[in-house]
């Protein structure tokens, strides 16, 4: 019992250290990106040729992906399966990355999970079963999809927050006598990521000769937010019926401003309720962790028999439905 507790304690320490390293790498990446953004507006009197650890790691990782690309790209099945990742490639990185790279990353992540599982079994001085190995490989393979899904949702949220700013920039450009193509170009230069990439796509489509209706309709389908659909439909009606584009964009600007103001007010009104919901969602994990810490064998019956496994998956499904309906109830649409 004491040895089992020591092994569990070592595992917890190892997981905590791994999480700290991951968080440190993410923070380092954000700091580097921020430094690069403000570097365009600052003067560097001394050339700093020092390369950070994260840059070295990123270069090695990208080099490994490029080396593996020539082997993975030979498989027609993998190339076909990788096409669904095309939507995750931003406009600014479409020349440095290919869709097959996402499959390669998933492969290496699953390989890392497998090695971590083997290392964990060695710490516990036990033989790793085939089922455990397959489960961890599957978790490692699909966890990158979960990351991409939440990254896409985060980008859509950022685009939704910046839509008002984009309309204001375009409206100011129209007031200065600029054309729609010039207004889109100005917006793509002044807006931050990730919305500037979308406006660069709009500018590229318009430069290739597509109509304003088509490019903004495609933009609305890509981001799938109400503000983009409203902007697209307004420009379609304006293009078909005619009118003053400055007045139309001034009305759109006012509408989006009022909507954003109302959304912020509702968010402030429901902040306490949302906090309570998050605490209620987090409490079960805290209790499970405390129970496992004091009695590691407490949940063994759930995994040692067929009824226990059935109960375990029933609990997971019930908790998932609980979280889903809570999110639906607490979500306020304006």
């Amino acid at each position: 019992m004491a040895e089992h507790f020591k092994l569990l304690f070592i595992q917890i320490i190892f997981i905590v250290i791994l999480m700290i390293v991951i968080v440190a790498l993410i923070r380092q990446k954000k700091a580097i990106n921020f430094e690069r953004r403000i570097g365009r507006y600052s003067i560097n009197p001394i050339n700093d040729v020092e390369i950070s650890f994260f840059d070295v790691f990123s270069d090695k990782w990208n080099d490994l992906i490029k080396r593996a690309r020539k082997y993975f790209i030979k498989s027609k099945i993998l190339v076909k399966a990788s096409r669904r990742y095309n939507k995750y490639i931003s406009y600014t990185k479409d020349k440095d990355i290919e869709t097959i790279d996402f499959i390669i990353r998933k492969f290496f992540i699953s390989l890392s999970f497998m090695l971590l599982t083997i290392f964990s079994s060695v710490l516990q001085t036990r033989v790793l079963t085939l089922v455990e190995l397959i489960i961890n490989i599957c978790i490692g393979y699909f966890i990158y999809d979960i990351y991409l899904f939440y990254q896409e949702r985060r980008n859509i949220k950022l685009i939704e927050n910046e839509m008002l700013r984009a309309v204001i920039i375009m409206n100011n450009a129209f007031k200065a006598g600029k054309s729609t193509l010039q207004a889109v170009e100005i917006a793509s230069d002044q807006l931050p990521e990730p919305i500037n990439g979308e406006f660069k796509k709009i500018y590229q489509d318009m430069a290739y000769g597509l109509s304003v209706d088509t490019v903004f309709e495609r933009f609305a389908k890509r981001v799938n937010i109400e503000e983009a659909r409203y902007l697209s439909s307004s420009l379609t009606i304006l293009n078909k019926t005619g009118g003053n584009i400055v007045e139309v964009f001034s009305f759109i600007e006012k509408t989006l401003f009022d909507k954003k103001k109302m959304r912020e007010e509702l968010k402030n009104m429901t902040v306490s309720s949302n906090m309570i919901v998050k605490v209620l969602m987090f409490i079960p994990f805290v209790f499970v962790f405390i129970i496992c810490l004091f009695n590691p064998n407490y949940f063994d019956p759930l995994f040692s028999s067929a009824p226990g496994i059935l109960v375990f998956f029933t609990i997971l499904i019930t908790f998932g439905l609980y979280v889903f309906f809570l999110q639906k109830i607490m979500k306020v649409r304006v």
Side-chain angles (χ1 to χ4, degrees):
M1 183 66 182
E3 293 182 357
H4 187 79
F5 180 77
K6 290 179 180 178
L7 290 174
L8 180 63
F9 183 71
I10 293 172
Q11 285 182 329
I12 293 173
I13 293 177
F14 179 76
I15 293 173
V16 170
I17 294 174
L18 183 63
M19 293 300 296
I20 292 174
V21 171
I22 293 174
V23 171
L25 290 174
I26 294 174
R27 293 185 62 182
Q28 180 71 13
K29 181 180 179 181
K30 290 182 178 180
I32 293 172
N33 292 336
F34 181 73
E35 181 182 358
R36 289 173 179 172
R37 284 202 307 269
I38 66 175
R40 296 177 297 176
Y41 310 103
S42 60
I43 300 175
N44 297 322
I46 301 176
N47 292 328
D48 187 8
V49 296
E50 184 181 356
I51 301 176
S52 65
F53 169 77
F54 186 82
D55 285 336
V56 174
F57 177 80
S58 179
D59 292 340
K60 296 292 184 182
W61 172 255
N62 293 330
D63 184 62
L64 180 62
I65 297 295
K66 290 179 181 179
R67 289 175 180 271
R69 184 188 300 169
K70 60 182 180 181
Y71 300 104
F72 280 79
I73 206 170
K74 295 179 181 179
S75 174
K76 295 182 179 180
I77 297 176
L78 294 179
V79 172
K80 185 177 180 180
S82 66
R83 291 174 184 171
R84 65 189 185 95
Y85 295 100
N86 188 53
K87 62 180 180 179
Y88 298 117
I89 301 178
S90 63
Y91 177 83
T92 56
K93 299 180 180 179
D94 59 350
K95 297 179 181 179
D96 301 326
I97 189 172
E98 297 181 10
T99 54
I100 193 66
D101 294 349
F102 292 93
I103 300 293
I104 299 172
R105 290 175 183 176
K106 292 174 64 174
F107 172 78
F108 283 124
I109 293 173
S110 63
L111 182 63
S112 302
F113 265 75
M114 182 185 69
L115 295 176
L116 287 174
T117 305
I118 295 174
F119 179 73
S120 175
S121 64
V122 170
L123 288 179
Q124 297 181 17
T125 62
R126 66 182 183 86
V127 179
L128 186 67
T129 63
L130 181 61
V131 176
E132 291 176 335
L133 187 63
I134 294 175
I135 291 175
N136 281 274
I137 291 175
C138 292
I139 293 174
Y141 187 78
F142 291 106
I143 196 171
Y144 189 58
D145 290 313
I146 299 174
Y147 166 77
L148 291 175
F149 172 75
Y150 281 101
Q151 185 72 15
E152 183 186 23
R153 291 189 61 181
R154 174 181 171 275
N155 290 339
I156 291 176
K157 190 69 176 178
L158 293 174
I159 291 173
E160 185 179 7
N161 293 333
E162 294 293 335
M163 276 299 300
L164 175 59
R165 184 178 173 185
V167 172
I168 293 174
I169 293 173
M170 291 184 66
N171 192 22
N172 293 335
F174 290 137
K175 291 178 181 178
K178 304 292 184 180
S179 64
T180 305
L181 183 63
Q182 292 172 328
V184 171
E185 184 181 13
I186 293 172
S188 65
D189 292 335
Q190 296 185 10
L191 291 171
E193 283 282 356
I195 193 172
N196 68 336
E198 293 294 334
F199 271 80
K200 286 179 180 178
K201 288 182 181 179
I202 294 174
Y203 176 79
Q204 185 183 47
D205 292 341
M206 292 179 66
Y208 285 156
L210 295 178
S211 64
V212 177
D213 305 350
T214 304
V215 295
F216 276 94
E217 184 179 354
R218 293 171 64 176
F219 166 64
K221 289 181 179 179
R222 284 197 303 268
V223 298
N224 193 24
I225 58 176
E226 188 176 349
E227 287 81 355
R229 291 193 294 268
Y230 179 68
L231 178 61
S232 174
S233 59
S234 300
L235 287 173
T236 301
I237 296 173
L238 179 65
N239 194 30
K240 291 181 178 179
T241 60
N244 191 334
I245 193 169
V246 175
E247 294 180 359
V248 172
F249 263 77
S250 297
F251 180 77
I252 296 174
E253 178 182 335
K254 183 179 182 302
T255 303
L256 295 183
F257 177 78
D258 293 339
K259 184 176 181 179
K260 188 173 183 178
K261 182 179 179 181
M262 186 178 296
R263 185 186 290 116
E264 291 296 328
E265 290 178 356
L266 289 174
K267 184 178 179 180
N268 293 332
M269 291 172 60
T270 58
V271 63
S272 59
S273 301
N274 288 327
M275 182 59 66
I276 293 173
V277 169
K278 291 178 181 179
V279 170
L280 291 176
M281 291 168 53
F282 186 70
I283 283 177
F285 296 99
V286 176
F287 276 106
V288 169
F289 175 76
I290 294 174
I291 291 173
C292 290
L293 193 62
F294 289 99
N295 188 3
N297 300 321
Y298 184 82
F299 293 105
D300 285 351
L302 289 177
F303 306 99
S304 60
S305 62
I309 295 175
L310 180 63
V311 170
F312 175 73
F313 281 103
T314 304
I315 293 172
L316 287 181
I317 295 172
T318 305
F319 184 76
L321 292 174
Y322 164 74
V323 173
F324 174 77
F325 284 112
L326 271 182
Q327 294 290 338
K328 286 292 183 181
I329 292 171
M330 296 304 299
K331 191 172 184 178
V332 179
R333 291 187 177 272
V334 181

